[in-house]
């Protein structure tokens, strides 16, 4: 044990009135003084909630972390934070990511914690916990909840979200019955865990591992596999050592670590949501990650992982094939990763993954025979997206990656819903669907509606993709030639607000271009006539959100949350 002063000593080592308070209220729970005095106090930050089904097993994981902390001589204290359930929360869980990050930040800072273990699973629980912890910057380790087992329907694997979308389209076009649709609901999600496609939850779990905040192998172990509990216990043991070694989060969350994460995201065919989340997390520790980093580092990279929505397998297959360590090894061997990036277990990224073996090459391809080439998230610019937009080429239709077509404009999500099933809608396979006012301020919360459903009249003709453009996000489980995160958003007066039906739009992914073929004079005329939409934020948290949220290219954080305040709390509470 080092002689370094513990942060918690500012609470428990006090020999005065305040020390009485702090110690007495732990003793009333049956903890003898020698259990917390002089021991690293470890917070177990738990996002368990019945409203977050993906995190429903987190009480069990927390117990394994607790035993690990005790094994190593620490003192564990579990605490709840706002849990964001992707399936339940309206209008979108993303609206509350920043709120949850504030909860996490202040809960850690305000309490006598020397280190913290973050339990993360469903999409927004991972970035919100990392953002909050980053702004405090004490020793931190991440434990992901793990993906569900693969879905099985009529003998065929089905994946979260990806097959929800495809089966929804099949139902709308009359290819399956409502009974079949209902049956698939139970078949798809049949165990604890988060979505088992390479959606946002799986992607962010991979980011936790690639950043070095999680232990090697953290991302892919299924939620119900006993090894998930083992890694939780190891994390509990390790965080105590991290406190003793004073390894704070910012020593792991370096620029090198974020650059590694961007490249790993390309290698796994990861979610577009990782863009806003990584930018937001990086800026909490003072690293100005931006869209140019995503394009510079992800450009030309290949996708190695054959998982839905880009491919056909699921996270259980990924785990059985060797998981993220194989991807990291493949990329690092090509010189694409910073091998010396330090990780939570005290070893470098390369030391952790140098001997990783692949057991199923159809699931994780070698770098010299990739699953898909040029698969990194592409950053588009042009007069329709002066501050950028993104597309995930690996999930798009190759024939649409260079395309010019007339706009079919939906002025709001309600407009889309009211007209999309109308056979009179003037649309064909060359059209470019444009959806406005679904960005951070506009929805509000930048909902996952960018992968607009296709009109039944196209589906019935066998057309399964058209170019779609919006200022929204899209589920990491979704697919299609979908341009997202257009910035500035329409509600902030971005050019997207000015698009009219019939305008020609050119998408050129190889050239990274998104162009609206309307001359500047006409755009100026439309801008002069433009009326901003009515605000959704009249009071409370939504007003705070709308007033302070940053645009997609800046990570959709609040302007006043960028950066960190550190861990010190100078004043007593009584
Ligand atoms: Fe929780 Fe997909 S709904 S990860």
């Amino acid at each position: 044990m080092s002689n370094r002063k513990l942060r918690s000593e500012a609470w428990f080592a006090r020999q005065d009135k305040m020390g009485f308070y702090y110690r007495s209220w732990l003793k009333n729970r049956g903890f003898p003084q020698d259990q917390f005095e002089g021991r690293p106090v470890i917070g177990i930050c738990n996002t368990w909630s019945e409203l977050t089904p993906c995190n429903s097993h987190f009480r069990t994981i927390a117990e394994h972390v607790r035993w690990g902390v005790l094994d190593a001589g620490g003192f564990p204290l579990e605490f709840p934070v706002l849990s964001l359930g992707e399936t339940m929360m309206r209008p979108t869980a993303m609206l509350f990511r920043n709120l949850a990050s504030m909860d996490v930040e202040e809960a850690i800072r305000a309490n006598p914690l020397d280190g913290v273990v973050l339990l993360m699973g469903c999409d927004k629980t991972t970035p919100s916990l990392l953002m909050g912890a980053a702004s405090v910057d004490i020793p931190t380790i991440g434990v992901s909840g793990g993906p569900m087992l693969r879905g099985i329907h009529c003998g065929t694997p089905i994946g979260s979200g990806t097959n929800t979308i495809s089966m929804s389209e099949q139902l709308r076009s009359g290819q399956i019955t409502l009974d079949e649709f209902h049956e698939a609901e139970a078949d798809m999600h049949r165990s604890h865990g988060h979505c088992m496609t390479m959606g946002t939850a799986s992607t962010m779990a991979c980011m936790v591992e690639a950043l070095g905040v999680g232990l090697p192998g953290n991302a892919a172990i299924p939620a119900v596999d006993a090894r998930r509990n083992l890694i939780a216990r190891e994390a509990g043991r390790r965080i105590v050592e991290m406190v003793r070694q004073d390894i704070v989060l910012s020593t792991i969350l370096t620029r090198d670590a974020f650059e590694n994460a961007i490249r790993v995201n390309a290698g796994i065919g990861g979610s577009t949501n990782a863009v806003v989340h990584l930018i937001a997390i990086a800026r909490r520790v003072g690293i100005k990650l931006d869209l140019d980093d995503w394009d510079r580092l992800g450009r030309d990279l290949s996708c190695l992982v054959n998982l839905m929505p880009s491919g056909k397998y699921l996270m259980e297959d990924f785990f059985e094939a060797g998981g993220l360590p194989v991807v990291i090894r493949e990329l690092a061997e090509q010189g694409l990763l910073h091998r010396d990036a330090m990780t939570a277990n005290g070893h470098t990224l390369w030391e952790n993954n140098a001997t990783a073996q692949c057991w199923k090459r159809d699931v994780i391809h070698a770098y010299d025979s990739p699953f898909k080439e040029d698969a990194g998230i592409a950053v588009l610019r042009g007069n329709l997206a002066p501050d950028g937009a993104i597309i995930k080429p690996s999930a798009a239709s190759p024939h649409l990656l260079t395309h010019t077509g007339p706009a079919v404009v939906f002025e709001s999500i309600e407009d889309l819903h009211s007209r999309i099933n109308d056979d009179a809608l003037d649309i064909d396979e060359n059209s470019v669907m444009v959806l406005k006012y679904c960005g951070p301020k506009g929805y509000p919360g930048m909902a996952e509606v960018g992968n607009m459903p296709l009109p039944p009249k196209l589906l019935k003709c066998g057309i399964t993709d058209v170019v779609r453009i919006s200022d929204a996000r899209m589920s990491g489980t979704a697919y299609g030639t979908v341009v997202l995160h257009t910035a500035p958003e329409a509600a902030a007066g971005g050019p997207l607000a000015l698009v009219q039906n019939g305008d020609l739009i050119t998408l050129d992914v190889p050239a990274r271009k998104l162009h609206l073929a309307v001359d500047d004079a006409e755009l100026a005329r439309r801008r002069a006539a433009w009326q901003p939409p009515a605000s959704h934020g009249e009071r409370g948290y939504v007003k705070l959100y709308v007033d302070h949220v940053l645009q997609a290219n800046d990570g959709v954080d609040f302007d006043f949350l960028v950066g960190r305040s550190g861990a010190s709390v100078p004043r007593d509470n009584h």
Side-chain angles (χ1 to χ4, degrees):
M1 174 103 179
S2 77
N3 292 324
R4 197 180 67 79
K5 195 171 182 312
L6 293 169
R7 181 173 182 265
S8 59
E9 288 180 38
W11 281 258
F12 300 130
R14 296 271 296 263
Q15 305 308 327
D16 58 7
K17 176 187 76 173
M18 296 312 304
F20 183 103
Y21 279 126
Y22 301 136
R23 290 185 295 272
S24 181
W25 262 264
L26 284 184
K27 289 174 182 174
N28 89 334
R29 292 198 50 227
F31 296 122
Q33 190 157 330
D34 63 5
Q35 284 300 296
F36 54 86
E37 190 175 55
R39 294 183 181 228
V41 179
I42 305 300
I44 304 173
C45 180
N46 200 341
T47 48
W48 173 89
S49 167
E50 284 192 301
L51 295 171
T52 307
C54 299
N55 298 9
S56 61
H57 55 306
F58 277 24
R59 284 174 159 172
T60 303
I61 290 182
E63 286 308 301
H64 289 281
V65 173
R66 182 190 308 279
W67 290 328
V69 171
L70 291 169
D71 290 346
F75 176 59
L77 289 172
E78 182 184 346
F79 64 99
V81 289
L82 176 59
S83 185
L84 306 178
E86 200 64 32
T87 54
M88 305 286 188
M89 297 189 85
R90 299 175 70 175
T92 167
M94 182 65 176
L95 178 63
F96 309 106
R97 184 199 65 175
N98 299 346
L99 179 64
S101 81
M102 293 166 75
D103 180 3
V104 172
E105 176 180 346
E106 302 308 338
I108 295 172
R109 182 181 299 112
N111 283 295
L113 304 179
D114 297 301
V116 64
V117 179
L118 309 175
L119 304 190
M120 310 171 282
C122 198
D123 292 14
K124 305 306 175 294
T125 59
T126 300
S128 60
L129 266 58
L130 287 174
M131 290 161 68
S135 286
V136 188
D137 200 21
I138 63 173
T140 303
I141 193 165
V143 176
S144 299
M148 282 179 259
L149 299 176
R150 60 175 77 80
I152 297 285
H153 177 62
C154 301
T156 303
I158 54 173
S160 309
T162 305
N163 287 112
T164 311
I165 296 165
S166 65
M167 294 182 79
S168 163
E169 305 279 53
Q170 288 167 358
L171 180 69
R172 291 168 66 234
S173 61
Q175 295 174 57
I176 60 172
T177 66
L178 192 57
D179 283 347
E180 290 173 293
F181 196 65
H182 287 167
E183 193 180 327
E185 291 166 7
D187 295 352
M188 185 177 287
H189 300 126
R190 64 191 180 94
S191 79
H192 289 299
H194 60 68
C195 289
M196 80 311 257
T197 42
M198 188 52 83
T200 302
S202 300
T203 298
M204 291 309 297
C206 289
M207 297 297 93
V208 168
E209 188 172 333
L211 287 166
V213 179
L215 296 177
N218 169 71
I221 305 169
V224 295
D225 191 299
R227 286 163 283 189
R228 176 59 60 190
N229 294 333
L230 283 174
I231 204 169
R233 188 157 184 153
E234 288 299 330
R237 292 176 175 178
R238 176 59 193 159
I239 188 65
V240 177
E241 292 305 313
M242 290 174 74
V243 170
R244 289 174 175 150
Q245 296 166 356
D246 197 22
I247 301 174
V248 297
L249 187 51
S250 61
T251 62
I252 293 170
L253 291 181
T254 60
R255 172 162 269 279
D256 281 358
F258 284 102
E259 293 191 352
N260 285 341
I262 289 174
R263 288 206 149 134
V264 167
N265 190 64
I268 61 174
S271 166
T272 49
N273 286 319
V275 177
V276 290
H277 296 327
L278 284 192
I279 288 174
I281 297 163
R283 294 187 185 192
R284 293 295 187 100
V285 286
I287 295 169
K288 194 163 185 323
L289 204 70
D290 58 28
L291 288 181
D292 288 339
D293 291 312
W294 278 90
D295 201 46
R296 174 176 59 85
L297 296 161
R299 192 175 197 124
D300 306 330
L301 246 65
S302 298
C303 172
L304 310 185
V305 176
N306 183 4
L307 254 61
M308 294 184 195
S310 300
K312 69 176 181 180
Y313 293 108
L314 295 165
M315 285 297 285
E316 197 178 343
D317 305 293
F318 185 47
F319 175 60
E320 291 168 0
L324 196 68
V326 177
V327 178
I328 291 174
R329 179 184 179 180
E330 291 284 346
L331 296 176
E333 282 177 342
Q334 301 299 316
L336 293 167
L337 300 181
H338 301 287
R339 293 185 180 198
D340 293 337
M342 187 50 61
T343 75
N345 70 356
H347 297 288
T348 66
L349 191 73
W350 180 245
E351 288 169 345
N352 285 337
N353 298 293
T355 59
Q357 291 208 51
C358 181
W359 307 109
K360 294 185 178 180
R361 271 297 176 205
D362 192 36
V363 180
I364 309 174
H365 288 221
Y367 197 83
D368 54 12
S369 58
F371 173 56
K372 290 189 179 180
E373 293 184 336
D374 298 335
I377 286 170
V379 177
L380 310 168
R381 294 187 192 275
N383 67 346
L384 194 47
D387 292 336
I390 62 171
I391 187 170
K392 181 176 174 180
S394 67
S397 301
H399 73 280
L400 290 173
L401 291 174
T402 305
H403 179 81
T404 297
V408 175
V409 176
F410 300 95
E411 293 290 339
S412 66
I413 191 69
E414 290 78 18
D415 184 29
L416 172 78
H417 289 155
S418 70
R419 293 194 292 131
I420 195 66
N421 293 326
D422 186 348
D423 280 348
L425 184 67
D426 186 12
I427 191 168
D428 63 27
E429 68 266 39
N430 292 316
S431 301
V432 174
M433 295 171 68
V434 173
L435 175 60
K436 301 179 180 177
Y437 302 112
C438 292
K441 293 176 188 291
Y443 200 90
M446 201 182 181
E448 292 184 332
V449 294
N451 54 312
M452 291 164 249
L454 296 183
K457 67 185 281 189
L458 294 187
L459 293 170
K460 286 173 192 160
C461 299
I463 295 161
T464 55
D465 195 11
V466 301
V467 174
R468 287 162 271 182
I469 300 173
S470 74
D471 45 13
R473 296 178 303 117
M474 123 175 141
S475 164
T477 64
Y479 52 87
T481 311
V482 184
V483 176
L484 303 156
H485 305 195
T486 304
E489 63 173 303
L496 191 71
L498 309 180
V499 182
Q500 295 183 356
N501 280 321
D503 290 348
L504 285 180
I505 295 176
T506 295
L507 169 67
D508 187 343
V509 176
R512 301 298 197 259
K513 283 269 187 298
L514 186 64
H515 182 72
L516 177 67
V518 176
D519 63 43
D520 290 347
E522 171 60 13
L523 285 177
R525 190 191 64 73
R526 293 182 191 179
R527 180 168 297 288
W530 178 71
Q531 295 288 332
S535 173
H536 293 278
E538 293 305 317
R539 66 166 297 282
Y541 173 71
V542 178
K543 176 167 173 51
L544 180 81
Y545 185 93
V546 171
D547 287 350
H548 291 280
V549 72
L550 298 169
Q551 290 293 287
N553 56 305
D554 287 323
V556 200
D557 204 354
F558 290 156
D559 50 11
F560 60 87
L561 288 178
V562 174
R564 62 189 137 154
S565 301
S568 79
V569 186
R571 291 182 170 168
D572 287 336
N573 50 333
H574 291 287

